[in-house]
Amino acid sequence: MPCMPGIGKKSGCDEMNDVAIVGIGCTPVGEPWNKSLREIAVESTWAAMNDAGVNEVDGLVVGNMSSGNFVDQESLGSLIADYAGLGNITAFKVEGACGSGGVAFRTGVMAVASGMHDVVCVTGVEKMTDVVGDSATKILANASDREYEAVHGVTFVGLNAMVMRRYMHDYNARREDICSIPVNSHKNAVHNKNAMFRREISLDSVINSPMVADPLSLMECAPICDGAASIILTTRERAKEFTDTPIIVKGSAVKVDTIGVHDRKNVTSMTATVEAAKEAYNMAKLTPKDMDTAELHDAFSIMGVIGLEDLGFVRHGKGAHFAAEGQIGIGGKLPCCTYGGLKARGHPVGATGVYQILELTKNLRGEGVVDAQNGIAQNIGGTGSTVSVTILGRDI
Amino acid sequence: MSVPRHWRESKRRYRLLGTKCKSCKKLHYPPRTVCSSCKSRDLEEYQFKGKGNIYSYTIIRNPPEGYTFCRPYAAALVELEEGEIVTAQITDCDLDHLEIGMPVEVVIRKLFAYGESGIIVYGYKFRPILPRK
C-alpha cells in the first residue's frame, strides 16, 4: 500500500503494509429486547474471530456513535475487550456520528498498515432501542451542530429533507425516481437473514407513506435499531495463515466537511464524499468504472442518490434517474445496497459502516449475491460532515 | 439544564450577531474565531440585517424531545441578504404555502423549554415578509 501523498512521505516512510480482511461476523439487525450492548458486541466480535480462526487479537477498535446517551455507557474499548475475554490489549472507541463504523475500520487499517498492530478486530455496535419516545430523535440530532442547527428543533431527518428539496429544485428531479432507492434496498434485504426488514415494498407505498419531514416520508428513512458487526484485519502477508480468500483493502479514506449544512457552498453534493472517494480511488489505482458493486449510505433516499453521484458513477443530477432505471438492482449495471442497505438491513448507526464492509467482503469472497472483483462502500456521519470511503478487492 | 450554556449564546442567538474577517472580509454566521475562508484570526463582530430568502425548507412532523409543543413546524435554510445561510424555524406562516425564494425577516421567539419548571430558551426564527397593504 503506498503512503498517502504528503503524509507518510513527510515522515520518511515509503511503504506501508497491505491490509487484508480475514474474518467477518455480525448479529442480526433488529430490536433484540433480550440483549444488551455488550452482549451483541461480544457476539459479533467472536463471530468474526471464529471466522478468522483466531482466539486472540492485539487490538480492538470500537465504532460507536452515542452509547453514552443511548445506554449511559462509555469506555466501550474496555467493556467489550473485557467481556469478550481479550485481556489487556489495546482497545478504544472512535466516533464519527453515523459514520463511526467506517471511521473505526479506517483506524484499524491504519493500525495494521503502519505495523503497530498485527491482528486487529474492528467492532461497530449501537444499541438504540433502550431509549423511548422522542429521545432517539434528540440523540441523533447530536450529529449536527447542536448550537446552530439542532437547537432550532431541526431534526436529522429535517436536514436531509432540506437537502432533498433543494436537490429536486436544482435538478428538477422527480420524487418517484428518488423513492426507487428504498424499493431497491428492500428487495435486496429479502435474502439477507441478518436484515431487519426482509420484505419487498412497492414504489407506491413509499410515495404514499406519511411524511416525517417533507419531502422525506417514513419509508424513505432508515429505522432505529440495534446491531453489531466485526471485521478481523491483518497484513496481506499473513492473511493466508487465516483464510483462503483474504479480501484486500485497496483504498481507505476519511474526510470531513463543515459541521453545519448551512456552511456548505453546495448542499446537493457532499464534498467529504467527493474528496474521500478521490483519495480512495488514487490509493487503489482504480476508477469508478472498475467497481462491480457499491454499498451506499442510504439512511435517507436522497443520500443514496447523491452518493451515486459523488462516488463518480453518474453526473450530478442524474442519480435518481439512474436508480429508477433499475441500474442499481442485482443484475443491473452497478448493484447497490446488495444486502438491504441502511433502509432494510437496518441502520444501527455506529455499526453500519462495518456491516457495509462485511457485506462487500461476502460479495468479493464469492459467497455473496453478486460476482464482484472490486467494490466500494460509503459511510456518512452527520449530513456529510464525516465520510469514509473504502475500496476492497480480491487478492489477485 | 444549564443556564450558562444558553446565557453565553444570548447575543448571537437574540441579535443574529456574527463575525467578519478583517483580512478577507468574509462574513460568518454562526460566528467564528478563525476565518473559514483565509484562516485569519483577526475577526470582528458583524451585525446581520436579518433579511433573506428561503434557500430550502422542510416541515418537521416528528420533533425531538422538548419541541413537540409547536408541532408541526417549518424549518429552513435561509439565505441572508449578505449571502450567508443560517438554519432556523419559519414562524407565523401557512405551512402549505412556503416556497424556495420566499422573502423572510428575523424575529425573536421561544425555541424550547426544559420542562414546565425549567428555563425557556429564546432565539431567532424567520417569518415571511408580507406585502404592505
Side-chain angles (χ1 to χ4, degrees), chain A residues 284-312:
Chain A
K285 298 189 177 65
L286 294 170
T287 70
K289 285 195 173 61
D290 300 312
M291 298 300 121
D292 302 313
T293 178
E295 291 304 324
L296 304 171
H297 190 97
D298 61 328
F300 305 100
S301 57
I302 186 65
M303 289 301 113
V305 168
I306 293 176
L308 283 168
E309 299 171 6
D310 289 341
L311 292 172

Side-chain angles (χ1 to χ4, degrees), chain A residues 134-135 137-138 141 145-155 157-159 161-163 165-166 169-170 211-215 258 261-267, chain B residues 5-6 9 12-13 29-32 54-65 67-68 71 73 75-77 84-89 100 111-112 121 124:
Chain A
D134 310 314
S135 298
T137 306
K138 184 184 176 192
D145 185 334
R146 171 55 63 186
E147 305 294 355
Y148 294 98
E149 291 181 317
V151 77
H152 295 287
V154 183
T155 58
V157 191
L159 289 167
M162 293 195 286
V163 168
R165 190 180 301 275
R166 189 70 203 188
H169 174 268
D170 287 358
M211 285 291 164
V212 180
D214 316 30
T258 60
V261 174
H262 47 237
D263 275 324
R264 312 266 168 85
K265 285 190 181 71
N266 175 7
V267 303
Chain B
R5 179 176 177 183
H6 296 288
E9 297 293 328
R12 299 176 273 224
R13 215 175 262 162
Y29 196 89
R32 291 175 180 264
I54 293 178
Y55 182 80
S56 191
Y57 69 95
T58 183
I59 314 294
I60 306 282
R61 298 182 190 276
N62 285 55
E65 206 175 351
Y67 293 82
T68 46
R71 122 169 55 191
Y73 51 87
L77 295 170
E84 300 308 303
I85 295 180
V86 298
T87 303
Q89 283 184 31
I100 289 176
L111 293 180
F112 72 102
V121 177
Y124 53 85

Side-chain angles (χ1 to χ4, degrees), chain A residues 14 71 203 209 320 328 337:
Chain A
D14 287 326
V71 293
L203 186 60
S209 64
I328 62 168
C337 306

Side-chain angles (χ1 to χ4, degrees), chain A residues 309-372:
Chain A
E309 299 171 6
D310 289 341
L311 292 172
F313 296 116
V314 287
R315 282 192 292 130
H316 290 292
K318 302 290 180 194
H321 185 63
F322 183 80
E325 275 184 329
Q327 306 277 23
I328 62 168
I330 291 170
K333 197 172 164 190
L334 182 77
C336 291
C337 306
T338 58
Y339 281 80
L342 282 64
K343 174 66 191 77
R345 173 235 298 122
H347 183 26
V349 283
T352 292
V354 185
Y355 274 98
Q356 292 178 314
I357 289 163
L358 173 147
E359 292 157 358
L360 207 48
T361 301
K362 283 187 181 175
N363 282 332
L364 293 163
R365 280 177 173 181
E367 57 194 48
V369 288
V370 297
D371 184 33

Side-chain angles (χ1 to χ4, degrees), chain B:
Chain B
M1 181 181 78
S2 159
V3 173
R5 179 176 177 183
H6 296 288
W7 165 80
R8 81 170 81 97
E9 297 293 328
S10 57
K11 270 206 306 192
R12 299 176 273 224
R13 215 175 262 162
Y14 297 168
R15 290 172 41 199
L16 210 59
L17 197 61
T19 48
K20 179 179 181 178
C21 175
K22 286 184 175 175
S23 173
C24 76
K25 312 300 176 202
K26 163 87 177 155
L27 304 176
H28 323 98
Y29 196 89
R32 291 175 180 264
T33 54
V34 178
C35 177
S36 56
S37 180
C38 74
K39 297 182 192 170
S40 166
R41 278 169 285 171
D42 194 11
L43 274 53
E44 60 186 355
E45 285 187 341
Y46 179 83
Q47 178 62 58
F48 283 87
K49 292 196 198 87
K51 288 191 175 170
N53 298 291
I54 293 178
Y55 182 80
S56 191
Y57 69 95
T58 183
I59 314 294
I60 306 282
R61 298 182 190 276
N62 285 55
E65 206 175 351
Y67 293 82
T68 46
F69 70 95
C70 57
R71 122 169 55 191
Y73 51 87
L77 295 170
V78 174
E79 186 168 22
L80 300 172
E81 275 180 2
E82 294 90 340
E84 300 308 303
I85 295 180
V86 298
T87 303
Q89 283 184 31
I90 304 294
T91 187
D92 306 356
C93 66
D94 178 349
L95 294 182
D96 295 328
H97 290 90
L98 292 169
E99 56 185 52
I100 289 176
M102 180 183 263
V104 290
E105 64 188 356
V106 77
V107 288
I108 191 162
R109 288 286 188 276
K110 173 180 168 181
L111 293 180
F112 72 102
Y114 284 91
E116 284 189 7
S117 55
I119 59 170
I120 299 171
V121 177
Y122 291 88
Y124 53 85
K125 293 186 182 180
F126 286 78
R127 70 177 174 200
I129 301 176
L130 300 174
R132 284 173 189 273
K133 282 179 184 164

